[in-house]
Amino acid sequence: MSKVEDFLTKAEEQEIVGAIGKAEKNTSGEIRVHIEKQTSMAAIDRAMEVFRTLNMENTQERNGVIIYVAVKSKQFAIYGDKGINEKVADDFWNCTKDAMQNHFQHGNFKQGLIDGILNAGEQLQKYFPYADGDTDELSNEISMGE
């Protein structure tokens, strides 16, 4: 795979964007996916860097989550903002990571991302339930790096 754009088809991208919308219907939390070719850093450190670059800390409840994937490096990470981390246990994202890892190991990247997104939405709902008047504070579109 020479370009990050080849990682998912356009139809798969739209399914993932749809999953983000579905996951966010039950929570005030915000979920984004960022895909890039590779990273020379630890995936979690790069996820935190991309999180800031995308201004994801600008949510009212500081409850944004990024699912970061470095395709060629075969790494991924899930990073949640301060509002989430203040309320949850350290292993909060482990079940989401495990579900994704299983799909990724079998080359099923689209389903891994969809399952991760939906699981993240379910987890966020416990701490950040959807309330009337909630607005979609961050784009649901997949962001892509080099």
Side-chain angles (χ1 to χ4, degrees), residues 30-102:
E30 294 287 332
I31 302 167
R32 293 215 54 193
V33 172
H34 181 83
I35 300 170
E36 58 188 23
K37 189 171 182 178
Q38 61 190 12
T39 182
S40 58
M41 327 170 70
I44 192 66
D45 293 335
R46 181 64 181 138
M48 292 180 349
E49 190 175 84
V50 172
F51 188 93
R52 287 188 294 276
T53 300
L54 296 174
N55 296 313
M56 289 183 64
E57 70 280 358
N58 293 341
T59 59
Q60 186 174 342
E61 295 185 72
R62 297 291 303 265
N63 58 357
V65 175
I66 189 165
I67 297 175
Y68 167 82
V69 180
V71 177
K72 188 175 179 184
S73 304
K74 295 185 178 179
Q75 295 184 55
F76 77 99
I78 303 169
Y79 175 74
D81 202 357
K82 177 179 158 187
I84 297 168
N85 294 333
E86 288 174 349
K87 294 184 177 189
V88 302
D90 290 341
D91 63 352
F92 183 69
W93 295 114
N94 286 356
C95 64
T96 303
K97 284 191 250 183
D98 291 345
M100 292 175 66
Q101 182 77 42
N102 187 40

Side-chain angles (χ1 to χ4, degrees), residues 23-24 26-31 63 65 78 83-84 87-89 91-97 99 115-130:
E24 289 180 351
N26 298 314
T27 178
S28 63
E30 294 287 332
I31 302 167
N63 58 357
V65 175
I78 303 169
I84 297 168
K87 294 184 177 189
V88 302
D91 63 352
F92 183 69
W93 295 114
N94 286 356
C95 64
T96 303
K97 284 191 250 183
D115 285 3
I117 290 161
L118 296 177
N119 190 289
E122 288 172 20
Q123 298 301 319
L124 287 171
Q125 183 181 2
K126 297 172 188 171
Y127 298 92
F128 300 96
Y130 181 85

